Each structure stands twice: as structure tokens, then as C-alpha cells.
């Protein structure tokens, strides 16, 4: 139900009289007085005037427009004209007010605005009137109205009045989106006019406005050919920037740079023909140390933006190695802009960055972005050339810069740096012994970053040099910053580490960390706690050995670090305790768990300040303790849930300002505010609030997953909170957590109902919950912008269908199928776009690698589509076939040779599911799909072959007379797979096993169509199969049945195949439960005992003697027990 608008305020008698006076025709004085009062510093007077103004706007909108327009054109006072323009813009932006005025009023407004533009002499007021024109035009032009505007703008732009020329260009630029396409026939004329305005004969203000107009026009033109007509304006555009700088007008130059950055991001190829000159000019600006930092940083931003625009101009910047070299040198120089301030050494927290400048930060961030956008093949050779001089320099700043550089470029250069790992690691470890503590800190920082980016290769190859170096750095008691960072780097190292690598070093690391815990400064203690937590997490049960030594220290900190200055220390102790508990397991931890829980409950009940890190750490600690204790955690849930639900419901802290507002959100001291610009709005979002919300949502998912039916009391409340968050676009992690929780909530409800723990609720409740969750998930999938999260959503949807699929009605299944069609279409469209990018003139191998990674994300998406359809087919069987018929036009193209192996595999698996689940009802598809299936048995990809031969097996099982004519062809294809020289290679074993299983099904269901005396022994000879454990159980059960019924072909003439059968049984039984079900194994043992009793002792002994010694021993044990 729509909410009615609030009632309009009722005017008093006095206000009515005042309004009547203001609206008196031909008497502007009263209205001018009202506007003057709206600007009054007297709050009471201003407030009264605002009330009057609002009443006039609501009740007399036509009169208000006419009065404001009249004031704009007729008033002598510039303050009143300026204020009238501002008020007009606001009232025009109020769509209902503008659409509610009469046609005559609107015509008067439009005439008045253009007249005011021509009369007005103040540049700033002209600009404000222009803003109003743009707002009105935004409403009128799309409806084909206000035909006078374009000629007016043209006359402004070609007039001799610089003020009008600038205003006309600004308006033209802002309206380009509305008029660009309609003026395609006038492009030559526009190009000429804009070219003249960019010429050196014009003033800088006009040239900047012309630059903005060109950028806006180019961005809204539909084709490359149309944009190409303006490419020869690029020198004039860059000239506008350089001449503003030469004239010392840096603010104007920065405006020009921002426009060019916008262009570099949206239409980089527009600059391609002049790229050498453009980038050269930008690097010259970046190198000019006499310019303001802001100007130089914008020039760098331009070049980095071009490098990052790889979707629209793939490979373009990699074709310019000389510029990459030059930019790299500029960024390295900026990294050297750092001072050694005492505040850094005496810092209380690791976040203290005293001595780092704006240049340093830009250098750091830009190296990271440059490496990610251009890749290691381009960046590493440049770094190899530049960095040795920095490593060898006498100035500590240069050695520090070299270390920071390695850490920054690693993420973008993973493949190339991994090839040169030994050289990279030895350079960094050498700097662990640098005389300057800030260089040592930077070296440790680099090892931490490299451990993350180049792991697990770095850990596997260099653990013996890295871990001792970090341990040694922890002894640097003169420099707590270095000690703390070394402890923190242990976290990065151990995150990519197996217990096998870590175990030999644990004694030394744990001992050292405990020493730091007792003797270090608080920052060092915090680092030590982080390191202990990660070491425990990585070594798992191996950490039990240290439990009794470590846990008392941790509990001591938890209980005694109560001072406000120790909040982070206590929070880290909490994290460490919960991770150690999870690592060592419930039995080891349970005695201490109770005490820990009591402390946490006490903390939970106390009034914690909003910025206390304890809140976030406690949310995560509770969830880990739940994972560790399982159902034993249930009594604590009533304490945990209220604050968790509160955190999950936090509203995003958002500030919205105009993009060109002077009140810059970025100036805030709060580092946790991130800003994004959308259209003409700048949005500031407090990330700390979002992170707490994301943590809470993740924890809710963990509890539902861990506690299953025990979580039921909270299912309703949590569903109500999380379902709307499926479309929470401020933060990906919040959406991901909400998505993951959906099937867990359904599972919890289903299990609670099945186990009688659902507080009297029955299946109708599960139906209601399904009706709430599934459609919401489908709708969110439809709107989701990120491919990775689309995959997560399909995965969650698949699980939801597994839990409560039979409760879905036809309409809900229809919406799921329609959405799957949409996902397939959108993915194909993205792939086509990528295919287009490969045709770009600068496309290269590095770009090809990046495209491959993007396409792998699409394959994961298709994987989930296949799983989802498979589950729908298994759930609804033949009832799903009408939907399958609709999907065929989407799935059939996926069988094509031009498609990826993964797409072919998924298409085959879906057909396999239809055959297996719909049996007789699926026979009508055999004629269409079997030829594809037979051809796919020879596919070069082993996974496709596996899916195809499995499909032949199910067609043989359920196809009856429809499959019979194809038996010979099927045998030929299966023989080729089985007889391939590399058939049993680990990469191909799954295809081999499935081919053997399919051969067995042909033997079983089409014996009359084959030469059984030849084919059955061939099949027996392939046994046992050991790769595909599911098929192994099926095949070995089939062999058992054949032996039980004394199948002559399997036993052979004179039972000659008995030794082989006994050998297969022996191997299967020796493998435990892997290759046969318990029931099949029991039947095999019975058969062996029967053989032992019926065969002559010598024959049975001879059969046993052909086995491996350990198999003989195992069989004798089994038969004698």
C-alpha cells in the first residue's frame, strides 16, 4: 500500500495576508524582501521566510516560477539575482512542482531564462542560470520540446562574448547526453566550432569549457566512427591544459586534468592516435617538481587510468615501454619522499605512518595499480633495471622504496615473480640486516606481502630461510616496530602453509612469541597474539602440544587487559583463544572454554563504546567457539544473538553531496570513509560500519551451518534480516553472507521439523519459509552485477532446491528457469564482448591471459547452472521436461566445438541427468542428443569424455530398443577410451572408469546385441576400477550379481576366469569401504567362502597363489574370521 503524502501545512491568517501581498501583480518589492530574508543571518527571520516560501511553492507554484523568473531578469541587485537562480534550480529539480505548472508559465520560464543569460554580466550568475537551463532542458528535450534552445546555445558558443561562450559550452557539455545523438548530422559543424573554442586565441575559461564539451560529447556518441571525427581536437585539448599551467592557473589545469581522466577511463581509444604526445605531456607534468602535488598526482592518475582501461583499449599502454619506464622512475622518486620521524619509532600502534607524505602514498598506490593493469611481463623487466641502484643506494629512503615497490607490484606480477622467486626472496632477506630500522621494517613488510601474493610456492621453497629470518627479527628489542611487524608477517607466511612445513619450526616460533607476549611493548604483544593465532590455525591438531603452555597466558590477558588503552590487546587475545580452541578441538579445549565464555558474556553485558574493537572481534570469537563446541554451544546462544542481530541490522552510514560541492567528504579525518562519485553525486560511506555488518552476517551464517536444527528458534528473525540484504549493494561481503545463509536457514527449519524440535511448526511452515527465500534469491540473482556473486547465488539456489525443492510450485520453478535462461544469455554476451576485445589493434598475450581468467569465472557460473538444472531434474523428474524443452535452445549451442570444454561437459551432464532421472519419458531426446554423445566420447578433454561415456552407460541402462541400433557404435567408442595407451593416467582415469562402467551396462542390458563371449571377459579384465569411487561401487556390485547367478560369460569356459574374479574381489576387499558398499563386500566374502568349499582345495590354493602377498594374507584373514 502506498504511503500518502504528508498533509500541506495550513497557513495562518497573517501568512495568508503576507502571501497575498507578495503575489500582488506588478509589485515585486514584497517578493524581493522575501528573498532577502531567506539569506538573513537572523535564524528566526530566515525560518519565518522559509515557511512562507514553502507555502507559496506548494499552493501557488505558477506564481512562484513567474516571480523568480522576473527577479532573475529585472532586479538590479546581483545578490537577489544569484539567489533567484539558486532557488529556481531547486524548484525545477522538484519534478512534481515543475510538471504541475501551466504551459504558459513554462514558456515564460524558458523565455526568461534565455533572456537572463543574454543580459547577465556576472560570470558566476551566468553559470547558475546555465544550471537552471540544464535542469529544465533535462525534462523538456527528451519530450522533443524547447526547440529554441539549440540555436540559442549555438549562438552563445559562436558569439564574441567570452562569458556567453563559456556558458554555452558548459551547457552544451552537460546536455550532450540528450542532444548528441540528435546532432549526428551536424558533427562536422560541431567539430569546427569546438575546435575554434579550443584554439589559443580564446581565454582559458572558454577553452576549459570547450574541453568539457568535447569530452561529454565524445562519451555519448554511439560509434567509434562518430567519435573518430573529433580525434584531431586532442592536441587542442592537451594544449588547453599545458597553457593553463604555463599561465600559472593550476586550479584550472586541475579541472582540465579531471576532464581528461574521465575521458581516459570511458573512451581511451579516442586518444590512441595521439597517445605518445598525450602521455608524454602528462609525464612531463608529473616530473615537474615546481607544480603543486595535486596537479602532478592528477597527471599520474591520467596515465594509470589509461593503463587500467583494458576492457576498452586492451594492451594499448603495454605497447609503450618507454613510458612505463619513465612513469616507474617517477613513482620510485615519489616513494623516496619520506622522513624518519621519531613519532614512527615511538608509535603505540602499527597504523602510525609518521613521515609518509602525499607523494609517498600516491607512489605506493600507483605502483600497485600499474602492476595489476599491465602485468608482470611488462613491469618486472623495468623493475629489474631500476631497483638494483635503489638497493645499493646510501640513502635509506631509496633502499626503503625498493622494498615497498616489491611488495606493491607482487600482486600484479605473480607469474613472472614466481619464476624468479629465489632472486626476489634473497633480495628481501638481505635487507633484513639493513642498518636502518625503517628499511628492515619494509623488508619484513615485503616478505609478508610476498607470502600472500606468491604463496604457497614461496612457503614450499623458502621456509628454511624465511622463518628463521622472521624469528631473528623478533629479537630486535631496540625497535619494537620491527619486532611487531615480524610477528605480524608470521601470519601472512603461515596462512599459505601446510602443517607439514610449519611443524619443524613450531617449537622455536611458539617459544619466541611467548617471550614477546611477556616482555614486549603492547604493539609487539598484539603482533605476537596475531602470529600465535595464525600458527595455531595453520598447524591444527599439531598445536595440541603447546596448548597447556600457551592458553594460561592468553586467558590472563583476556581477564586482566581491562584498561581502555588495552582494548585491542584484549580483542586479539580473544581471537587467539578462539582460533587455538578450534585448532586443538573440543576435548582439549572444553575445560578452559567455560571460563572463556564467562568472560565473554560479562563483556557482552557491559556497555562497550561504539569504536571498541572488542565488538567485532567478539562476534567472530563466539562463532569460532560455536564451531569448536558444536551443540554444546547452544546454552550461550541467548547471550550471543541480541548483539549479533543488532550488528547485522546496522544501517550504512552514508553522506551524499553534490559532486562539485566544495564540502569535500575526503577532507574528513576519518580514514574509514570511502567515497564514490555517481553522476552528479558524491557518496561517502563509512566502511567500519559496513565491515561490522558484514562480520555479523557471516557469523549468523556460521551459527546456522554449525547448529543446524539447534538454530531454529532464530530462523524467522534472521531470515527477515538477511533476505533484504541479498540486494545490499554497498558491500559485497554482506551480500555473500546473506546468500550463503539462505539454504542453511531452510535446512535448520527442515531438520527441526523432522526431529520434532520446531515448536509445533510443520511442513507448511517450511513451505512459507521457502516461499519467502527462493523468490527473493531469484530476484537478487536477476539484479546482481558481480559474476562471482551470481555463481554463489546459483550455488545457494541449488542447495535450497535440494532442501525444499518438492515444495516449490510451478510458478516458482518457472521463475528459476527463466532466470537461468537470463544467466546463460548474459554470460554469452559478456564472452562475445571479450571476443571483440581480442580484435583490438593492441591486443597481446598478457591481455589474453587476463581474458582467460575472466572467462574462467564464466565457467564457474556455467558449472552452477548445470548443478542447479541437475537438481531440478532430480527433484521433479519427468514433470520438469516441459521446462527442459524450453531450455534446449539455450543448451544445444553448448555442445558445439566452438564452445569451451567446460560448457560442453555441462551440456552433456544435463542430458545425462534427463536420461537417468526421466527414464522412459526421455527416450524422445535420444535421436537428437545421442549423436552428440557418441562424438563427445572422442573429445580431447578428459572431463568431456567422462561425461559422454557416463551418458552412454545410462542410455544403455534406460534406452531399451531405442538404444539397441547404436550398441555397435557405442562399443567402438568405449573401446577407444578403454584401449587408449594413457587410459589409466591420473588425468584420464575418471573417463576410463566411466567407460568400463558403461561397458558393463551394455553387457547387462544388451547382451543379445553383442558378442558376449568376447565383450564380457574384456569388461572383467578392466576390473577393479579405483578412480571414480561412485562408479566403482556400481560396477563391483554388478560383478557380484553376475557371479551369484553363475553368469557363464563372466565365469568363462571351465570357470577359467575364476582366478581373475577372486583377484578382483581380493583387491576390492583390501581397499576397505572405498570400492564397494558394506553390503557388496559381505556378498563378496560369502561368494569366496562358497568357492573355497566347492572348488577342489588345490584349485582354490592355485587361485590364491596368483594374488599379491598382502592380498593373500588379507583374504586368509577374512576367510578364517
Amino acid at each position: 500500500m502506498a504511503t500518502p503524502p504528508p498533509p500541506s501545512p495550513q497557513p495562518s491568517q497573517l501568512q495568508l495576508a503576507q502571501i497575498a501581498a507578495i503575489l500582488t501583480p506588478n509589485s515585486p518589492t514584497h517578493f524581493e524582501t522575501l528573498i532577502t530574508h531567506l539569506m538573513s543571518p537572523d535564524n528566526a527571520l530566515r525560518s519565518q521566510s522559509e515557511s512562507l516560501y514553502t507555502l507559496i511553492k506548494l499552493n501557488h507554484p505558477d506564481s512562484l516560477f513567474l516571480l523568480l523568473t522576473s527577479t532573475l531578469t529585472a532586479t538590479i541587485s546581483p545578490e537577489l539575482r544569484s539567489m533567484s537562480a539558486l532557488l529556481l534550480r531547486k524548484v525545477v529539480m522538484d519534478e512534481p512542482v515543475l510538471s504541475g505548472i501551466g504551459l504558459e508559465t513554462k514558456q515564460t520560464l524558458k523565455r526568461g531564462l534565455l533572456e537572463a543569460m543574454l543580459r547577465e554580466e556576472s560570470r558566476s550568475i551566468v553559470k547558475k542560470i546555465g544550471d537552471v537551463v540544464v535542469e529544465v532542458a533535462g525534462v523538456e528535450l527528451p519530450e522533443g520540446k524547447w526547440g529554441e534552445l539549440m540555436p540559442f546555445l549555438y549562438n552563445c558558443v559562436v558569439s564574441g562574448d567570452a562569458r556567453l561562450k563559456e556558458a554555452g559550452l558548459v551547457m552544451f557539455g552537460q546536455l550532450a547526453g540528450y542532444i548528441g545523438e540528435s546532432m549526428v548530422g551536424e558533427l562536422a559543424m560541431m567539430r569546427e566550432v569546438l575546435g575554434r573554442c579550443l584554439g589559443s586565441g580564446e581565454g582559458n575559461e572558454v577553452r576549459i569549457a570547450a574541453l568539457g564539451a568535447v569530452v561529454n560529447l565524445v562519451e555519448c556518441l554511439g560509434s567509434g566512427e562518430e567519435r573518430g571525427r573529433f580525434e584531431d581536437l586532442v592536441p587542442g585539448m592537451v594544449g588547453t591544459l599545458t597553457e593553463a599551467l604555463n599561465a600559472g592557473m593550476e586550479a584550472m589545469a586541475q579541472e582540465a586534468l579531471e576532464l581528461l581522466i574521465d575521458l581516459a577511463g570511458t573512451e581511451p581509444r579516442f586518444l590512441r592516435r595521439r597517445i605518445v604526445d598525450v602521455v608524454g605531456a602528462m609525464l612531463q607534468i608529473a616530473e615537474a617538481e615546481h607544480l603543486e602535488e595535486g596537479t602532478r598526482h592528477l597527471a599520474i592518475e591520467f596515465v594509470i587510468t589509461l593503463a587500467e582501461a583494458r576492457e576498452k583499449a586492451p594492451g594499448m599502454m603495454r605497447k609503450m615501454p618507454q613510458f612505463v619506464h619513465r612513469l616507474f622512475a617517477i613513482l620510485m622518486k615519489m616513494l623516496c619522499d619520506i622522513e624518519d620521524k621519531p613519532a614512527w619509532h615511538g608509535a603505540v600502534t602499527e597504523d602510525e605512518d609518521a613521515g609518509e607524505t602525499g607523494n609517498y602514498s600516491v607512489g605506493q598506490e600507483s605502483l600497485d595499480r600499474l602492476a595489476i593493469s599491465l602485468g608482470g611481463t611488462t613491469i618486472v623487466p623495468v623493475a629489474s633495471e631500476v631497483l638494483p641502484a635503489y638497493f645499493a643506494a646510501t640513502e635509506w629512503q631509496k633502499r626503503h622504496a625498493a622494498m615497498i615497490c616489491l611488495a606493491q607490484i607482487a600482486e600484479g606480477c605473480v607469474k613472472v615473480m614466481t619464476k624468479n622467486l629465489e632472486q626476489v626472496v634473497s633480495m628481501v632477506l638481505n635487507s633484513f640486516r639493513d642498518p636502518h630500522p625503517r628499511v628492515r621494517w619494509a623488508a619484513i613488510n615485503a616478505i609478508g606481502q610476498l607470502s600472500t601474493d606468491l604463496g604457497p610456492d614461496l612457503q614450499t621453497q623458502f621456509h628454511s630461510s624465511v622463518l628463521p629470518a622472521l624469528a631473528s627479527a623478533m629479537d630486535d628489542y631496540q625497535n619494537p616496530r620491527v619486532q611487531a611487524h615480524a610477528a605480524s608477517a608470521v601470519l601472512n607466511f603461515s596462512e599459505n602453509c601446510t602443517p607439514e612445513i610449519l611443524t619443524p619450526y613450531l617449537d622455536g616460533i611458539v617459544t619466541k612469541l611467548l617471550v614477546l607476549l611477556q616482555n614486549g611493548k603492547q604493539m609487539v604483544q598484539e603482533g605476537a597474539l596475531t602470529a600465535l593465532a595464525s600458527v595455531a590455525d595453520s598447524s591444527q591438531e599439531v598445536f595440541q602440544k603447546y596448548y597447556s603452555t600457551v592458553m594460561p597466558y592468553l586467558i590472563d590477558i583476556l581477564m586482566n587487559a581491562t584498561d581502555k588503552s588495552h582494548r585491542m590487546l584484549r580483542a586479539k587475545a580473544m581471537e587467539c583463544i578462539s582460533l587455538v580452541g578450534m585448532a586443538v578441538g573440543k576435548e582439549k579445549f572444553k575445560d578452559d572454554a567455560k571460563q572463556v565464555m564467562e568472560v565473554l558474556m560479562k563483556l557482552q553485558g557491559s556497555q562497550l563504546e561504539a569504536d571498541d574493537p572488542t565488538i567485532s572481534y567478539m562476534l567472530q570469537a563466539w562463532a569460532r567457539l560455536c564451531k569448536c563446541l558444536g551443540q554444546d554451544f547452544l546454552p550461550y546462544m541467548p547471550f550471543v544473538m541480541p548483539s549479533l542481530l543488532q550488528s547485522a541490522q546496522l544501517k550504512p552510514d552514508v553522506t551524499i553531496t553534490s559532486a562539485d560541492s566544495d564540502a569535500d567528504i575526503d577532507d574528513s579525518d576519518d580514514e574509514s570513509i570511502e567515497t564514490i562519485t555517481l553522476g552528479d553525486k558524491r557518496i561517502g560511506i563509512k566502511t567500519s560500519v559496513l565491515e561490522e555488518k558484514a562480520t555479523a552476517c557471516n557469523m549468523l551464517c556460521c551459527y546456522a551451518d554449525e547448529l543446524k536444527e539447534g538454530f531454529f528458534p532464530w530462523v524467522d528473525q534472521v531470515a527477515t534480516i538477511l533476505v533484504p540484504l541479498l540486494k545490499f549493494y554497498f558491500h559485497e561481503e554482506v551480500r555473500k553472507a546473506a546468500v550463503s545463509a539462505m539454504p542453511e536457514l531452510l535446512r535448520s527449519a527442515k531438520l527441526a521439523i523432522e526431529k520434532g524440535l520446531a515448536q509445533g511448526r510443520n511442513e507448511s511452515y517450511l513451505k512459507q519459509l521457502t516461499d519467502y527465500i527462493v523468490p527473493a534469491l531469484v530476484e537478487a540473482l536477476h539484479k546482481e552485477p558481480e559474476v562471482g556473486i551470481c555463481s554463489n547465488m546459483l550455488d545457494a539456489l541449488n542447495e535450497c532446491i535440494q532442501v525444499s525443492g518438492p515444495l516449490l510450485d510451478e510458478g516458482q520453478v518457472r521463475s528459476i528457469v527463466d532466470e537461468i535462461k537470463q544467466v546463460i544469455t548474459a554470460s554469452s554476451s559478456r564472452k562475445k564482448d571479450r571476443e571483440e576485445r581480442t580484435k583490438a589493434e593492441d591486443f597481446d598475450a598478457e591481455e589474453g591471459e587476463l581474458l582467460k581468467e575472466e572467462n574462467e569465472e564464466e565457467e564457474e557460473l556455467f558449472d552452477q547452472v548445470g548443478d542447479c538444472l541437475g537438481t531440478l531434474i532430480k527433484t521433479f523428474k519427468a514433470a520438469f521436461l516441459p521446462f527442459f524443452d524450453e531450455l534446449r535452445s539455450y543448451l544445444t549451442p553448448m555442445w558445439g566445438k566452438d564452445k569451451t570444454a567446460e560448457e560442453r561437459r555441462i551440456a552433456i551432464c544435463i542430458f545425462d541427468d534427463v536420461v537417468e532421472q526421466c527414464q522412459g519419458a526421455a527416450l524422445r531426446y535420444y535421436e537428437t542428443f545421442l549423436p552428440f554423445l557418441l562424438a563427445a566420447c572422442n573429445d580431447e578433454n578428459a572431463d568431456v569424455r567422462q561425461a559422454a561415456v557416463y551418458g552412454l552407460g545410462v542410455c544403455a541402462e534406460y534406452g531399451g530398443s531405442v538404444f539397441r541400433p547404436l550398441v555397435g557404435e557405442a562399443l567402438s567408442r568405449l573401446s577407444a577410451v578403454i584401449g587408449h595407451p594413457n587410459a589409466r593416467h591420473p588425468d584420464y582415469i575418471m573417463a576410463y572408469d566411466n567407460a568400463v562402467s558403461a561397458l558393463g551396462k551394455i553387457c547387462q542390458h544388451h547382451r543379445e546385441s553383442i558378442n558376449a563371449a568376447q565383450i564380457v571377459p574384456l569388461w572383467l579384465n578392466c576390473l577393479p576400477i579405483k578412480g571414480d569411487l561412485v562408479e566403482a561401487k556400481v560396477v563391483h556390485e554388478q560383478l557380484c550379481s553376475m557371479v551369484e547367478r553363475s553368469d557363464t560369460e563372466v565365469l568363462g569356459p571351465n570357470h577359467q576366469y575364476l582366478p581373475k574374479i577372486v583377484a578382483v574381489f581380493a583387491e576390492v576387499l583390501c581397499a576397505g569401504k572405498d570400492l564397494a558398499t558394506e553390503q557388496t563386500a559381505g556378498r563378496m566374502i560369502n561368494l569366496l567362502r562358497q568357492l573355497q568349499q566347492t572348488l577342489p582345495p588345490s584349485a582354490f590354493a592355485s587361485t590364491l597363489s596368483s594374488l599379491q602377498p598382502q592380498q593373500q594374507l588379507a583374504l586368509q584373514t577374512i576367510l578364517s574370521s
Side-chain angles (χ1 to χ4, degrees), residues 127-192:
K127 187 175 180 308
K128 285 174 184 161
I129 299 169
D131 290 341
V132 185
V133 171
V134 168
E135 293 296 342
V136 177
V139 177
E140 297 284 281
L141 290 178
E143 295 177 12
K145 298 173 184 172
W146 209 359
E148 311 92 322
L149 180 61
M150 284 315 297
F152 175 82
L153 288 184
Y154 177 76
N155 289 332
C156 284
V157 171
V158 298
S159 76
D161 185 335
R163 181 178 43 84
L164 280 177
K165 194 174 277 194
E166 181 192 2
L169 287 164
V170 168
M171 288 188 285
F172 179 82
Q174 289 174 311
L175 292 171
Y178 298 112
I179 59 182
E181 288 298 327
S182 64
M183 293 196 67
V184 167
E186 313 287 334
L187 290 184
M189 176 270 289
M190 289 161 69
R191 197 216 99 8
E192 188 193 340

Side-chain angles (χ1 to χ4, degrees), residues 279-307:
V279 174
M282 292 297 175
L283 293 177
Q284 205 171 344
I285 294 169
E287 287 164 338
E289 293 186 10
H290 66 279
L291 294 175
E292 288 176 20
E293 277 188 8
T295 307
R296 297 174 64 205
H297 296 170
L298 284 169
I300 289 169
E301 180 62 32
F302 174 88
V303 184
I304 301 281
T305 302
L306 264 188

Side-chain angles (χ1 to χ4, degrees), residues 562-564 567 570 599-615 618 642-643 646:
T562 52
D563 189 69
K564 184 172 179 177
R567 293 188 310 187
R570 182 176 63 190
V599 176
L600 292 190
M601 283 196 299
K602 193 173 166 190
L603 271 174
Q604 185 106 338
S606 64
Q607 287 300 106
L608 296 171
E609 293 173 23
D611 65 342
D612 192 334
T614 310
I615 299 170
M618 190 148 52
S643 63
Q646 200 177 336

Side-chain angles (χ1 to χ4, degrees), residues 215-216 218-220 227 237 256-272 275 278-279 282 298-314 316-317 369 373 837:
V215 169
N216 283 309
V218 165
E219 286 176 350
C220 72
R227 288 190 289 273
M237 294 163 77
L257 278 164
E258 281 168 354
L259 287 165
L260 289 166
I261 289 166
D262 197 18
L263 182 65
T266 52
E267 293 300 337
R269 293 178 71 167
F270 177 74
L271 300 163
R272 188 177 183 278
I275 195 80
V278 177
V279 174
M282 292 297 175
L298 284 169
I300 289 169
E301 180 62 32
F302 174 88
V303 184
I304 301 281
T305 302
L306 264 188
E308 287 177 331
R310 31 172 297 265
E311 283 195 20
K312 295 188 175 172
M316 184 168 79
M317 288 298 282
R369 289 168 61 195
S373 55
R837 275 155 61 190

Side-chain angles (χ1 to χ4, degrees), residues 557-743:
I557 294 171
L558 181 67
M559 296 183 74
N560 297 316
T562 52
D563 189 69
K564 184 172 179 177
S565 62
H566 292 147
R567 293 188 310 187
M568 183 53 88
L569 186 67
R570 182 176 63 190
K572 297 253 184 194
M574 209 178 279
E575 173 183 61
C576 192
I577 288 169
S578 59
L579 280 164
V580 168
M582 269 178 73
V584 300
K586 179 174 165 180
E587 284 312 304
K588 191 88 174 166
F589 180 55
K590 66 181 179 190
D591 292 340
D592 292 310
K594 195 167 185 303
Q595 186 183 4
V596 170
M597 303 285 221
E598 280 166 7
V599 176
L600 292 190
M601 283 196 299
K602 193 173 166 190
L603 271 174
Q604 185 106 338
S606 64
Q607 287 300 106
L608 296 171
E609 293 173 23
D611 65 342
D612 192 334
T614 310
I615 299 170
S616 168
Y617 278 82
M618 190 148 52
L619 291 180
Q620 295 176 67
W622 279 125
R624 288 192 205 102
L625 294 168
C626 173
K627 269 205 175 328
C628 176
L629 300 174
Q631 297 297 317
D632 291 353
F633 187 81
L634 274 173
Y636 299 97
M637 285 294 282
F639 295 98
V640 172
M641 286 301 283
S643 63
L644 187 59
L645 294 170
Q646 200 177 336
S647 294
Q649 291 176 86
L650 284 171
K651 295 275 181 283
D653 189 344
V654 177
T655 317
I656 301 177
T657 59
S658 165
D660 49 11
S661 154
D662 296 333
D664 195 339
I665 302 168
D666 292 338
D667 292 342
S668 156
D669 289 338
D670 190 342
E671 287 180 2
S672 72
I673 289 185
E674 255 180 41
T675 60
I676 50 170
T677 303
L678 289 177
D680 60 350
K681 297 281 181 282
R682 187 188 288 119
I683 301 173
I685 304 166
K686 192 158 187 179
T687 51
S688 55
V689 172
L690 294 182
E691 278 154 19
E692 183 182 332
K693 185 180 183 77
T695 301
C697 294
N698 265 312
M699 300 307 107
L700 287 171
C701 186
C702 285
Y703 288 127
D705 174 37
E706 190 60 42
L707 297 173
K708 304 287 190 284
E709 65 276 10
F711 192 72
F712 181 78
W714 292 278
V715 164
D716 268 351
Q717 208 176 346
V718 171
T720 312
I721 293 169
L722 292 186
V723 166
L725 297 181
L726 294 170
K727 293 189 285 191
F728 187 82
Y729 300 113
F730 288 112
H731 201 287
E732 279 185 18
E733 290 306 315
V734 172
R735 294 208 300 290
K736 283 185 192 169
V739 169
S740 302
M742 294 300 111

Side-chain angles (χ1 to χ4, degrees), residues 1007-1079:
R1007 185 75 68 99
E1008 72 290 351
S1009 304
I1010 62 171
N1011 178 351
Q1014 183 189 349
I1015 301 295
V1016 174
L1018 174 74
W1019 172 73
L1020 176 62
N1021 214 36
C1022 297
L1023 304 187
I1025 59 173
K1026 304 182 221 171
D1028 188 329
L1029 301 184
V1030 175
E1031 288 307 303
K1033 293 181 176 75
V1034 172
V1035 169
H1036 301 144
E1037 197 267 338
Q1038 183 188 343
L1039 174 63
C1040 227
S1041 300
M1042 290 165 85
V1043 175
E1044 282 169 345
R1045 63 172 183 266
S1046 301
D1047 189 305
T1048 51
E1049 272 96 9
V1050 87
L1051 293 173
N1054 303 318
H1055 289 187
Q1056 75 180 65
Y1057 303 138
L1058 262 184
K1060 173 62 182 171
I1061 293 168
V1062 172
V1064 172
F1065 282 4
E1067 207 166 334
V1068 169
L1069 291 170
C1070 286
K1073 295 178 181 175
D1074 283 351
L1075 304 182
T1077 62
E1078 218 170 301
Q1079 192 183 8

